[in-house]
């Protein structure tokens, strides 16, 4: 009962809560079985909207608890421990609910009048159930890290752009969009600098447990992450470096593997992604170990990698992955390069600041691709010039990953696909090639359920991009669709940058 004497029952909330409980009981005890497939999916969608709206109610309750001073009355410090004690939440969950409430809730001022909601557009979408708590968390994180001198109107437009993306996009895309925005609005690193990242770097290996296993955790700089991504794209691929498969002992860091052998090994591979990464690191470190000649007592070459070359400062050779040497591929726009702002993208989908990318290019000789305003490669440079790799480098720079709509597989895990099949006379030219992951490559065929690919012309909204046409069972209109997944952050960040310039932000 509150100060006005109302109860859950008198306000009708109790009856609604009973109705929600009845829906859950019915669904959990056989109510879903009679539903047709289409209705089961529709129920899932409606239920998700309801859950999101109820999550927004959480924010209202958090505010109510704070304004009634219930934590102090319960003998706890603030709202976070009160939520943990009352609801049995983890510290992270409780803190996140409070953080979201502070950004999306309506608090009362000292005079009792409502204060403006910090993120009004986000709050409205959250209350309507069109975005989730994960979306809100991502938006709050981005908005919190905007430079202080971004004008208020530009902040409002930035939030609106983020909400617009979230209505149809995934929460997982928000960190990438945030990095793009910060790179353009904070090119000098006043919010997050390269020096800040270097201070946070570190890897800790715990003491071995009773089973002899050691836990590893820490923070990697963007440069190290880019280097490891390039290596693991090959060594952590299914079928490679498998410690559980005696028949794949030869699949080491430097071994050239026939595609049929690798495919057979991949079919036998039952490891998860973490286990594959562990085994890849094991293979890499093992390959770098010197082997002592028992006759002379002198260190000889390691297990396939030239240790002498490594000690002399020469690059260690790790063979090829999907037709290219195992090395970092960095893509940046000419506009970003000229103004020293923005981000560079790696073939594995990672991001580096322009300064970090240039340092990496100078020190370890990765592939460097520079694009014009239409994302056409202007410059390609790499450590070893291989005629057969040039087109793939241009594809990485242009497509950045799998071109199938909605697919987020990075370029390092894709193959070059002929838009017009080679068997049908399709040339191996850039305007007939596209990056496609193995899963979606298998979906392209002439069967009733097969997908088709086309290169979109100049009259298209996406000239020079690859369009995917779904089978008639999915889309009777046969409308080609492109994949914006790998370009989302750049598009939103460019719009934000433009908004800041319009409103006169120094950060832009």
């Amino acid at each position: 009962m509150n100060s006005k004497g109302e109860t859950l029952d008198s306000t009708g909330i109790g009856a609604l809560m009973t109705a929600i409980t009845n829906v859950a009981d019915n669904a959990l005890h056989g109510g879903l079985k009679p539903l047709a497939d289409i209705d089961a999916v529709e129920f899932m969608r409606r239920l998700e909207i309801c859950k999101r709206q109820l999550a927004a109610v959480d924010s209202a309750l958090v505010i109510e608890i704070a304004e009634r001073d219930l934590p102090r009355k319960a003998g706890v410090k603030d709202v976070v421990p009160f939520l943990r004690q009352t609801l049995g939440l983890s510290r992270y969950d409780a803190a996140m609910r409070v953080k979201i409430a502070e950004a999306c809730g309506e608090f009362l001022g000292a005079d009792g009048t409502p204060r403006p909601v910090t993120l009004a557009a986000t709050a409205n979408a959250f209350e309507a159930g069109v975005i989730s708590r994960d979306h809100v968390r991502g938006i709050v994180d981005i908005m919190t890290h905007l430079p202080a001198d971004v004008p208020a109107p530009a902040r409002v437009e930035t939030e609106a752009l983020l909400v617009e993306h979230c209505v149809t996009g995934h929460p997982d895309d928000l960190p990438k969009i945030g990095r793009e925005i910060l790179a353009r609005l904070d090119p000098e690193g006043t919010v997050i600098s390269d020096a800040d990242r270097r201070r946070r770097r570190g890897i800790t290996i715990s003491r071995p447990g009773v089973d002899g296993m050691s836990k590893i955790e820490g923070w990697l700089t963007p440069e190290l992450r880019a280097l490891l991504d390039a290596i693991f794209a090959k060594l952590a691929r299914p079928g490679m470096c498998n410690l559980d498969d005696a028949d794949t002992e030869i699949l080491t860091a430097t071994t050239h593997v026939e595609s049929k052998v690798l495919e057979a090994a991949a079919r036998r591979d039952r490891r998860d992604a973490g286990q594959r990464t562990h085994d890849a690191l094991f293979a890499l470190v093992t390959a770098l170990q010197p082997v002592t000649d028992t006759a002379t007592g002198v260190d000889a070459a390691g297990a396939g990698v030239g240790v002498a070359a490594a000690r002399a400062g020469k690059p260690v050779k790790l063979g090829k992955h999907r037709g290219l040497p195992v090395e970092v591929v960095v893509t940046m726009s000419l506009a970003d390069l000229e103004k020293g702002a923005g981000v560079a993208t790696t073939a594995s989908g990672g991001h580096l600041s322009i300064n970090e990318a240039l340092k990496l290019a100078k020190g370890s000789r990765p592939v460097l691709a520079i694009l014009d305003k239409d994302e056409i490669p202007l410059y390609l440079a790499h450590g070893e010039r291989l005629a057969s790799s040039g087109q793939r480098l241009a594809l990485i720079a242009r497509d950045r990953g799998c071109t199938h709509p909605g697919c987020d597989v990075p370029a390092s895990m894709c193959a070059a696909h002929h838009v017009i099949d080679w068997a049908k006379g399709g040339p191996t030219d850039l305007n007939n090639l596209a990056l496609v992951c193995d899963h979606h490559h298998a979906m392209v065929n002439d069967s009733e359920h097969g997908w088709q690919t086309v290169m979109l012309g100049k009259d298209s909204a996406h000239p020079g991009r690859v369009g995917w046409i779904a089978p008639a069972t999915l889309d009777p209109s046969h409308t080609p669709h492109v994949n914006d997944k790998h370009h989302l952050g750049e598009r939103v960040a460019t719009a934000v940058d433009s908004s800041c310039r319009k409103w006169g932000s120094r950060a832009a």
Side-chain angles (χ1 to χ4, degrees):
M1 180 178 296
N2 67 17
S3 57
K4 295 182 180 180
E6 296 287 349
T7 66
L8 289 176
D9 290 335
S10 65
T11 57
I13 294 178
L16 293 175
M17 294 175 67
T18 300
I20 293 172
T21 302
N22 290 338
V23 170
D25 287 342
N26 181 270
L28 290 171
H29 297 93
L32 301 178
K33 294 296 183 183
L35 294 179
D37 291 354
I38 189 172
D39 289 319
V41 174
E42 180 61 21
F43 176 65
M44 184 185 300
R45 287 175 176 154
R46 292 189 186 183
L47 181 62
E48 178 62 24
I49 292 174
C50 290
K51 289 192 293 185
R52 292 176 177 184
Q53 291 175 314
L54 289 173
V57 174
D58 266 346
S59 294
L61 283 170
V62 167
I63 295 171
E64 194 70 23
I65 288 167
E67 292 184 341
R68 293 185 183 213
D69 202 17
L70 295 185
R72 183 187 60 80
K73 294 176 182 178
V76 295
K77 182 180 179 181
D78 53 37
V79 177
V80 170
F82 179 82
L83 292 177
R84 295 187 68 201
Q85 175 180 294
T86 306
L87 303 178
L89 303 179
S90 69
R91 185 182 302 276
Y92 173 82
D93 192 1
M96 187 51 60
R97 293 191 190 194
V98 172
K99 186 176 182 179
I100 289 175
E102 290 172 346
C104 299
E106 185 177 71
F107 288 84
L108 296 178
D111 59 355
T113 59
R115 299 201 309 253
V117 177
T118 304
L119 299 178
T122 304
N124 290 336
F126 193 28
E127 291 175 8
V130 294
I131 63 175
S132 69
R133 181 178 282 164
D134 286 340
H135 284 120
V136 176
R137 186 173 66 232
I139 293 175
V140 170
D141 191 38
I142 293 173
M143 297 300 294
T144 301
H145 283 92
L146 289 183
D149 60 354
V150 173
R155 286 180 177 274
V156 172
E157 291 187 19
T158 298
E159 183 198 355
L161 287 167
L162 292 172
V163 171
E164 180 184 353
H165 160 74
C166 289
V167 170
T168 56
H170 299 102
D172 296 339
D173 297 329
L174 287 171
K176 180 186 294 186
I177 294 174
R179 290 194 295 270
E180 293 265 9
I181 291 174
L182 280 180
R184 284 167 170 76
L185 301 190
D186 186 37
E188 297 181 2
T190 58
V191 178
I192 301 177
S193 68
D194 294 347
D196 291 332
R197 285 185 278 263
R198 286 194 294 272
R199 278 194 293 269
R200 293 182 62 197
R201 77 188 188 279
I203 297 174
T204 302
I205 302 177
S206 68
R207 293 178 180 273
V210 294
D211 58 356
M213 302 289 281
S214 301
K215 183 178 181 180
I216 181 171
E217 59 184 358
W219 293 100
L220 309 180
T221 60
E223 299 99 316
L224 178 56
R225 175 62 188 264
L227 292 167
L228 289 177
D229 280 346
I231 294 170
F232 290 152
K234 175 182 178 179
L235 301 190
R237 188 178 179 182
M240 288 291 290
C241 309
N242 192 347
L243 297 180
D244 297 329
D245 189 348
D247 293 334
T248 60
E249 288 182 343
I250 62 168
L251 305 186
T252 58
T254 59
T255 305
H256 171 71
V257 185
E258 295 292 338
S259 59
K260 291 182 179 179
V261 175
L262 181 57
E263 289 171 5
R267 286 193 294 270
R268 298 192 301 269
D269 198 338
R270 297 294 181 267
R271 297 171 298 168
D272 59 31
Q275 291 170 328
R276 293 199 305 271
T277 300
H278 171 279
D279 293 354
L281 184 60
F282 182 87
L284 179 63
V285 174
T286 301
L288 292 171
Q289 295 301 307
V291 178
T292 302
D293 188 314
T294 55
T296 64
V298 177
D299 288 350
V305 175
V307 176
R311 288 175 175 169
K314 297 179 180 179
V316 173
K317 302 295 183 180
L318 292 176
K320 294 184 177 182
H321 172 63
R322 294 188 183 270
L324 285 176
V326 176
E327 55 193 347
V328 181
V329 180
V330 179
T331 303
M332 67 181 70
S333 72
L334 179 61
D336 286 349
L337 177 62
E338 288 177 338
K339 65 182 181 180
V343 294
T345 306
T346 67
S348 56
H351 287 89
L352 300 163
S353 70
I354 295 298
N355 288 336
E356 290 169 334
L358 293 177
K359 290 177 183 177
L360 187 63
K362 179 180 179 181
S364 58
R365 299 191 56 158
V367 176
L368 177 63
I370 300 176
L371 311 179
D372 66 10
K373 61 182 179 63
D374 296 317
E375 298 192 342
I376 303 300
L378 289 174
Y379 173 81
L380 291 172
H382 47 90
E384 295 182 0
R385 185 175 180 84
L386 301 174
S388 60
S389 68
Q391 290 174 324
R392 180 168 176 82
L393 294 176
L395 287 174
I396 291 173
R398 186 192 71 190
D399 296 340
R400 303 188 186 179
C402 179
T403 53
H404 186 278
C407 183
D408 59 1
V409 172
S412 59
M413 299 175 65
C414 293
H417 159 73
H418 285 77
V419 176
I420 300 175
D421 193 66
W422 170 263
K424 297 179 180 179
T428 307
D429 296 333
L430 273 179
N431 59 5
N432 189 51
L433 294 174
L435 290 181
V436 182
C437 70
D438 294 342
H439 171 71
H440 288 119
H441 195 274
M443 294 169 56
V444 181
N445 57 71
D446 295 327
S447 71
E448 178 184 357
H449 302 290
W451 289 66
Q452 304 297 320
T453 53
V454 294
M455 191 64 72
L456 301 178
K458 295 181 179 179
D459 57 342
S460 166
H462 305 281
R465 298 277 297 278
V466 178
W468 284 72
I469 301 175
T473 52
L474 297 178
D475 182 11
S477 70
H478 294 285
T479 302
H481 293 278
V482 300
N483 186 14
D484 281 330
K485 197 80 169 179
H486 306 287
H487 306 267
L488 276 174
E490 180 179 343
R491 192 172 71 245
V492 175
T494 300
V496 171
D497 190 18
S498 175
S499 173
C500 285
R501 292 177 185 280
K502 179 177 68 175
W503 295 106
S505 167
R506 180 179 64 81

